[in-house]
């Protein structure tokens, strides 16, 4: 046998060769769990976005398409209101005689409001005709918390959502009117508009 510096080749090979440790792999299930844990925050964010999106869609699913009140500038912009008029998703709303029409309106005032009155009239050929029994009445007893069940009344607090719920009868004595515009406004005692919307309608 050959030698290097007096050391046999076999011994030199054993002395200079360091055995490599075997690579250890995590079991497949453990690796998958690690991947899931790393992706978990992203999954939570995506689920949250989906839930919020579905909630908004559900909230607006039955909302009625309404219009702003022209020159009347309300404290709460029209796009920040969610309004539901019974049996009407888009105007002209059909108001059937001998029936009752309900209105649900959700909004959030941007400042404190001490009290609210209702100003409601129908514009027929440019002439405003007030809704008797609704126009000029207090809106406070028709204000509820966001759940729509807990009555809160007045005053309103800035940044706190409220739901205004009101219904009115379409009397049999009303004549059939093929075209009109309903103006519905909630205002302070001084006449300042807090919310306001208009919607085309007809009495049938």
């Amino acid at each position: 046998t050959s030698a290097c510096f007096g050391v046999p080749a076999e011994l030199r090979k054993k002395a200079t060769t360091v055995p490599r440790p075997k690579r250890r792999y995590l079991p497949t299930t453990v690796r998958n769990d690690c991947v899931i844990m790393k992706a978990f925050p992203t999954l939570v964010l995506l689920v949250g976005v989906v839930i919020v999106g579905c909630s908004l869609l559900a909230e607006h699913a039955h909302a009625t398409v309404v219009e702003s009140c022209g020159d009347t500038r309300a404290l709460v912009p029209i796009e920040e209101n969610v309004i539901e008029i019974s049996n009407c998703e888009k105007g002209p709303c059909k108001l059937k005689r001998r029936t009752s029409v309900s209105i649900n309106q959700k909004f959030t005032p941007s400042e404190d409001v001490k009290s609210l009155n209702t100003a409601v009239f129908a514009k027929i050929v440019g002439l405003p005709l007030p809704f008797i029994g609704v126009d000029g009445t207090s809106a406070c007893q028709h204000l509820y918390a966001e759940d729509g069940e807990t009555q809160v009344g007045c005053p309103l607090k800035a940044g706190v959502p409220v739901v205004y719920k009101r219904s009115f009868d379409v009397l049999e004595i009303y004549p059939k009117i093929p075209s009109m515009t309903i103006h519905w406004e909630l205002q302070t005692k001084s006449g300042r508009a807090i919310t306001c919307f208009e919607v085309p309608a007809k009495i049938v």
Side-chain angles (χ1 to χ4, degrees):
T1 59
S2 61
C4 180
F5 300 103
V7 180
E10 292 80 0
L11 295 178
R12 179 166 50 83
K13 185 177 181 180
K14 291 181 179 180
T16 57
T17 302
V18 178
R20 293 183 179 180
K22 294 183 179 181
R23 298 183 66 180
R24 296 182 179 180
Y25 295 93
L26 291 173
T28 303
T29 54
V30 175
R31 293 202 305 272
N32 290 341
D33 290 344
C34 291
V35 172
I36 292 174
M37 290 301 294
K38 290 180 179 179
F40 186 73
T42 303
L43 292 174
V44 171
L45 178 61
L46 289 175
V47 171
V49 170
V50 171
I51 291 175
V52 171
C54 291
S55 299
L56 292 175
L57 288 175
E59 184 178 63
H60 291 268
H62 303 291
T64 304
V65 178
V66 297
E67 302 170 358
S68 61
C69 294
D71 295 335
T72 301
R73 300 190 64 180
L75 174 66
V76 182
I78 187 66
E79 59 271 12
E80 295 181 12
N81 288 259
V82 178
I83 299 163
E84 296 179 14
I85 302 175
S86 58
N87 301 316
C88 181
E89 293 186 0
K90 185 178 180 181
C93 297
K94 295 181 180 180
L95 309 182
K96 294 183 179 181
R97 292 178 296 176
R98 293 181 296 178
T99 65
S100 181
V101 178
S102 63
I103 293 178
N104 284 8
Q105 179 180 4
K106 181 180 178 181
F107 64 95
T108 303
S110 57
E111 59 184 61
D112 293 348
V113 179
K114 291 183 178 180
S115 63
L116 278 180
N117 289 330
T118 310
V120 183
F121 56 84
K123 292 191 289 186
I124 304 173
V125 196
L127 299 176
L129 299 177
F131 276 38
I132 299 175
V134 180
D135 181 64
T137 62
S138 173
C140 291
Q141 63 266 36
H142 303 288
L143 295 173
Y144 295 80
E146 193 172 8
D147 60 8
E149 300 294 335
T150 307
Q151 191 171 18
V152 294
C154 296
L156 282 66
K157 297 295 183 181
V160 179
V162 293
V163 178
Y164 168 73
K165 300 169 65 175
R166 188 66 191 264
S167 61
F168 62 93
D169 295 327
V170 184
L171 302 179
E172 187 177 6
I173 61 174
Y174 289 171
K176 292 183 178 181
I177 301 176
S179 178
M180 64 180 184
T181 299
I182 296 177
H183 176 102
W184 202 289
E185 181 179 345
L186 301 181
Q187 57 183 215
T188 63
K189 287 184 178 180
S190 62
R192 182 189 181 192
I194 302 302
T195 70
C196 187
F197 70 87
E198 292 185 346
V199 62
K202 57 183 178 180
I203 297 178
V204 297

